[in-house]
């Protein structure tokens, strides 16, 4: 995939080639095959039991999906964001829960340590995380600090060669199951957003525990939990990035994270669309398949068109992320906003195409409808994406 590079001479190289490479197409095929054979048969069972699918983590690791965007020397698959978007899209086409587990692990927890960590931190944490020997989570949100994450209240106070953390984080994906948590805490209240630092906390650290497990509308096989710090001592070497830069770095981490949520929404939209199309071709009313009614055809046409537009925005943001020579805040926010909202529209129309059967759990439409709603909320709501986009357009900080 190449959206074109313009050199200083004005020469345009490789302009607008939308095709995936042979390797990228092969990657898509192998993840699709894996998702169809290992995930699809369990989707409703996991959803209804809110079962976290720990049993497939070793297979995800073998496929390189727990370290997609990290170099091989760091234990990763050595691939880029395009491949990462393909992976999240394909997993989410079958089960968004698996998509979000992989996304929070890769682009939030591991990527924060990879981007901001010291060599020693990369060696100690990124390698086993990227190899899939450990699972990661990332805790920014608090009960009183959601969209306004700069309002973080969890504190970290310097003491005896380290920091003592107190407070609670909410809505942490993988919170109960993660071996490694990256959490943001206030180290200097007087500096606002520039007084928040990031810390790496290992499972089993005294004073650190997962709290309430949320009972959710959708993505029920993923874990969304509170994580609690009670006089939790974290050694100085586990400060991640510079003191006071944790929130600023989180915003950079979210640039990549939003590509995951765009791919999550895109994958679920694709899954819902395929299910609706197959159903429309076999469901008969008034002596015809419902796909022969123009009202249904127009729905399918709109769904396919919007999915394609969402895919182009998502892959453009991924392509920019791989270029590493500029920020891509605007493009990742646009992709996340649009793909999340398209996901919701497509899933809603899929329920409509299924009619009454769209409302019951024997058919796949209702689960996509429930699951995809997260994509307009997580990693910045649609309203916050519009604020981010407008700020970029208007040149405001
Ligand atoms: C399933 C799930 C998984 C999650 N995983 C993680 C995770 O792994 N790590 C993590 O840190 N967080 C995670 N989150 C938290 C998520 O990022 C937050 O829920 C989200 O940022 C919104 O915060 P909030 O829920 O407090 O809503 P609020 O901020 O209270 O927003 C409520 C409403 O007000 C609107 N609003 C708020 N401020 C403005 C404004 N300035 N202008 C216009 N409208 C505004 C919002 O758009 C929304 O509609 C997860 C959430 C869910 C549901």
């Amino acid at each position: 995939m190449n959206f074109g590079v313009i050199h200083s001479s004005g020469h345009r190289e490789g302009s607008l080639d939308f095709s995936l490479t042979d390797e990228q197409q092969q990657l898509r095929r192998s993840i699709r095959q894996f998702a169809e054979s290992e995930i699809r048969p369990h989707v409703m069972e996991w959803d209804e039991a809110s079962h976290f699918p720990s049993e497939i983590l070793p297979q995800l690791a073998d496929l390189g999906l727990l370290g997609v965007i990290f170099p091989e020397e760091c234990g990763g698959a050595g691939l880029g964001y395009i491949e990462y978007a393909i992976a999240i899209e394909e997993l989410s086409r079958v089960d968004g829960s698996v998509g979000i587990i992989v996304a929070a692990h890769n682009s939030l927890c591991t990527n924060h340590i990879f981007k901001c960590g010291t060599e020693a931190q990369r060696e100690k944490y990124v390698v086993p995380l990227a190899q899939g020997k450990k699972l990661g989570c990332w805790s920014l949100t608090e009960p009183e600090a959601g969209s306004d994450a700069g309002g973080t209240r969890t504190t970290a106070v310097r003491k005896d060669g380290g920091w003592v953390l107190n407070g609670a984080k909410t809505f942490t994906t993988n919170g109960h199951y993660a071996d490694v948590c990256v959490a943001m805490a206030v180290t200097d209240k007087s500096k606002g957003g520039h007084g928040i630092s990031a810390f790496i906390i290992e499972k089993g650290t005294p004073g650190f525990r997962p709290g309430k497990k949320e009972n959710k509308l959708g993505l029920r096989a993923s874990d969304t939990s509170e994580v609690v710090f009670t006089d939790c001592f974290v050694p100085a070497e586990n400060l991640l990035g510079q003191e006071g830069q944790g929130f600023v770095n989180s915003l950079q981490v979210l640039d990549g994270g939003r590509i995951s949520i765009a791919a999550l929404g895109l994958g679920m939209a694709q899954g819902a669309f395929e299910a609706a199309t197959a159903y429309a071709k076999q469901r008969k009313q008034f002596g015809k398949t419902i796909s022969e009614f123009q009202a249904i055809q127009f729905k399918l046409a709109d769904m396919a068109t919007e999915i394609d537009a969402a895919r182009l925005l998502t892959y453009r943001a991924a392509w920019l992320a791989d270029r590493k020579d500029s920020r891509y805040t605007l493009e990742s926010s646009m992709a996340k906003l649009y793909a999340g909202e398209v996901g919701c529209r497509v899933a809603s129309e899929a329920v409509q195409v299924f009619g009454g059967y769209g409302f019951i759990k024997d058919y796949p439409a209702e689960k996509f409808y429930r699951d995809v709603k997260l994509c307009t909320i997580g990693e910045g709501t649609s309203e916050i994406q519009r604020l981010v986009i407008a700020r970029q357009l208007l040149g405001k900080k």
Side-chain angles (χ1 to χ4, degrees), residues 159-395:
K159 195 178 173 194
D160 300 335
W163 301 84
V164 176
L165 270 63
N166 276 291
K169 297 283 176 181
T170 191
F171 294 147
T172 296
T173 299
N174 300 339
H176 254 82
Y177 298 89
D179 305 288
V180 176
C181 174
V182 169
M184 275 36 82
V186 177
T187 44
D188 185 345
K189 197 166 181 238
S190 68
K191 291 189 177 154
H194 290 274
I196 296 173
S197 305
F199 296 89
I200 305 171
I201 305 101
E202 293 180 36
K203 188 177 192 168
T205 303
F208 169 59
R209 64 174 176 87
K212 182 180 172 232
K213 214 168 162 27
E214 301 298 346
N215 182 7
K216 306 194 295 286
L217 168 75
L219 300 179
R220 292 177 61 80
S222 74
D223 170 51
T224 311
S225 292
E226 195 183 25
V227 299
V228 184
F229 301 97
T230 313
D231 294 330
C232 173
F233 180 78
V234 177
E237 65 262 27
N238 281 25
L239 173 71
L240 176 60
Q242 286 177 17
E243 184 181 336
Q245 288 299 299
F247 179 60
V248 176
N249 291 336
S250 292
L251 298 182
Q252 290 159 359
V253 167
L254 284 170
D255 282 350
R258 286 172 182 159
I259 295 174
S260 335
I261 305 297
L264 190 70
L266 176 60
M268 287 190 263
Q270 180 69 32
F273 168 74
E274 287 176 26
T277 306
Y279 185 77
K281 290 205 278 199
Q282 56 89 11
R283 171 71 173 170
K284 283 195 173 154
Q285 289 292 283
F286 300 97
K288 296 175 173 178
T289 62
I290 60 169
S291 63
E292 292 177 71
F293 300 127
Q294 199 177 51
I296 298 295
Q297 292 172 0
F298 279 14
K299 283 190 197 303
L300 297 175
D302 286 345
M303 290 155 90
T305 305
E306 289 204 306
I307 290 171
D308 232 23
R311 185 171 288 115
L312 288 172
L313 281 176
T314 304
Y315 284 47
R316 180 184 64 166
W319 178 82
L320 280 169
D322 283 337
R323 293 191 50 72
K324 296 183 179 74
D325 54 3
S326 61
R327 286 288 296 270
Y328 47 93
T329 307
L330 174 71
E331 293 81 2
S332 67
S333 275
M334 284 178 165
K336 196 268 179 193
L337 169 65
Y338 190 73
E341 300 210 335
V342 163
C344 291
R345 280 199 292 277
V346 167
S348 170
E349 286 295 63
V351 170
Q352 197 66 20
V353 170
F354 272 84
Y357 300 96
F359 209 69
I360 63 171
K361 289 177 183 282
D362 296 346
Y363 292 82
E366 64 83 32
K367 180 170 181 293
F368 285 118
Y369 183 73
R370 289 185 286 114
D371 286 352
V372 78
K373 187 58 193 156
L374 177 273
C375 297
T376 68
I377 298 170
E379 300 198 30
T381 62
S382 287
E383 292 75 17
I384 294 302
Q385 300 313 315
R386 289 188 172 90
L387 283 180
V388 170
I389 293 165
R391 274 188 203 130
Q392 295 283 318
L393 297 176
L394 299 169

